[in-house]
Amino acid sequence: MELPKGISVCCLTGELHVRVCGRGTFQNGQPLRRFALEMIEKGATQCIVDLAGCEGMDSTFLGVLAGIGLRLNQNNGHNRMRVTNVSHRHLELLQTLGLDRLFSITPAGTTPAYVAPANANFQRLPDSDISQLNKPLNKNDTADLMLEAHDNLIEADSRNLAKFKDLTQYLRDRATKHDPSKTS
Amino acid sequence: MKDFRIEQETKGNIQIVRLTGSLDMYSFPRLETQLNTHLQQGHYAILLDCKDLDYIGSAGLGALIGFAKQAREKGGDVKLLNVPERIYKIIELLGFTKVLQVHTDESAALASFTAH
């Protein structure tokens, strides 16, 4: 069965299941972030992200995943974020950003330990199919998401600071200009 | 999706880097290497032709700001040319157009390097 493009989610007794189909980018990171934080608030203790249908991820989307992983680990201990069906290409990306140490990774072709039941009722998050976005993104929300996501990547692995310092500096300066109370 | 490709051209002291395909976390290291090489060789005037670019990711955009900053410190710049509308919307959304010059005409873009 072909999965619908976008991000589909399902929450089952403390497990948040996420399926990424198509691209995961700064354009659809926000709905996932909001939903995941709400579920963690309601008691989710682990998150399983299935990348079987994922065509690519940008650093903001990876930073959103890192933020969910950091929050879960903070509440519940290590390796609460499990990423499954990880292709070689995605694995290289996760390793480049040091996220292989934050996430528990199951490569594509291997049976993951945590699988949603076949009858699990996945719902697609609104505005998560970037090919169908019909309303403009909010500038400040997007910039804030991008900043938070890249800060998460730096918190997950300090080697990311060199990669993202120009971007985070720019976004921090921008946020401060927009709202002077946001000083670093 | 087109494969990511980089083509080079030199006009006077300006390096034109023509990009094709998707500039994402997977392909950006190739452009990064190319830009670092230019800066190390003292080529500080760089024009990125984005006409055939399908996509640009957030990290790529952020890194371009860093390269532009380094080039400006040496009297040059990194500028964008022929940015497709879909990508321009992303660049504009985040205000990157305030820190990265975007041109629609190659001659004007080339002339802008010597104008200041």
Side-chain angles (χ1 to χ4, degrees):
Chain A
M1 187 182 70
E2 195 175 329
L3 293 170
K5 291 265 183 194
I7 300 165
S8 301
V9 292
C10 165
C11 212
L12 305 161
T13 55
E15 286 179 7
L16 167 61
H17 290 263
V18 178
R19 287 175 177 166
V20 182
C21 190
R23 270 188 196 272
T25 77
F26 70 91
Q27 292 159 294
N28 57 8
Q30 190 65 276
L32 174 61
R33 176 189 169 276
R34 285 202 187 111
F35 184 80
L37 293 182
E38 191 188 325
M39 290 303 112
I40 292 169
E41 200 66 31
K42 287 182 177 170
T45 56
Q46 62 182 325
C47 179
I48 298 100
V49 180
D50 185 345
L51 297 182
C54 179
E55 291 166 7
M57 294 174 282
D58 75 357
S59 56
T60 300
F61 192 82
L62 286 160
V64 168
L65 295 183
I68 297 168
L70 288 166
R71 180 70 67 93
L72 285 169
N73 287 358
Q74 193 181 40
N75 294 353
N76 308 288
H78 290 293
N79 287 337
R80 309 303 295 188
M81 181 80 164
R82 301 172 194 280
V83 188
T84 64
N85 287 309
V86 179
S87 66
H88 181 66
R89 188 167 174 254
H90 292 330
L91 180 61
E92 276 183 354
L93 190 57
L94 295 172
Q95 287 170 334
T96 302
L97 294 171
L99 297 180
D100 55 324
R101 292 183 292 171
L102 177 64
F103 303 158
S104 170
I105 293 173
T106 309
T110 320
T111 307
Y114 292 80
V115 187
N119 61 351
N121 186 20
F122 276 84
Q123 302 285 325
R124 193 172 69 184
L125 290 172
D127 301 322
S128 67
D129 177 1
I130 61 170
S131 64
Q132 301 291 324
L133 286 180
N134 48 19
K135 59 181 181 194
L137 294 169
N138 178 287
K139 284 184 188 187
N140 296 323
D141 283 355
T142 307
D144 287 348
L145 173 76
M146 221 177 242
L147 178 57
E148 181 185 297
H150 288 86
D151 279 343
N152 290 338
L153 292 174
I154 294 165
E155 186 181 340
D157 188 335
S158 57
R159 288 173 299 177
N160 290 326
L161 178 62
K163 292 186 189 94
F164 300 126
K165 66 177 191 312
D166 295 312
L167 179 63
T168 52
Q169 185 60 55
Y170 167 75
L171 293 169
R172 225 178 292 285
D173 291 348
R174 186 190 177 284
T176 309
K177 270 181 207 158
H178 176 71
D179 178 358
S181 68
K182 288 181 181 173
T183 50
S184 49
Chain B
M1 203 186 307
K2 284 179 259 178
D3 284 341
F4 182 68
R5 277 205 330 266
I6 301 175
E7 283 166 25
Q8 297 277 345
E9 194 182 337
T10 304
K11 286 197 178 174
N13 62 348
I14 300 164
Q15 306 302 314
I16 303 177
V17 181
R18 301 196 198 275
L19 307 173
T20 300
S22 191
L23 185 55
D24 54 20
M25 289 285 292
Y26 310 90
S27 57
F28 190 77
R30 286 171 56 196
L31 178 60
E32 196 171 30
T33 303
Q34 195 74 60
L35 294 178
N36 273 325
T37 304
H38 279 314
L39 295 180
Q40 281 159 13
Q41 290 174 344
H43 302 143
Y44 303 118
I46 302 169
L47 184 60
L48 299 179
D49 185 348
C50 306
K51 184 165 72 73
D52 294 318
L53 204 59
D54 297 328
Y55 170 85
I56 186 163
S58 46
L61 273 174
L64 289 182
I65 294 175
F67 280 110
K69 202 168 122 192
Q70 285 182 61
R72 281 176 205 146
E73 282 166 7
K74 301 287 185 181
D77 205 345
V78 175
K79 301 182 184 188
L80 306 180
L81 172 68
N82 297 325
V83 178
E85 193 188 346
R86 200 156 49 98
I87 296 177
Y88 186 81
K89 279 184 185 165
I90 295 172
I91 296 175
E92 196 185 27
L93 172 79
L94 294 156
F96 286 113
T97 46
K98 291 177 190 154
V99 284
L100 288 170
Q101 268 192 39
V102 181
H103 292 267
T104 53
D105 177 75
E106 186 168 320
S107 306
L110 294 170
S112 74
F113 279 99
T114 48
H116 59 272

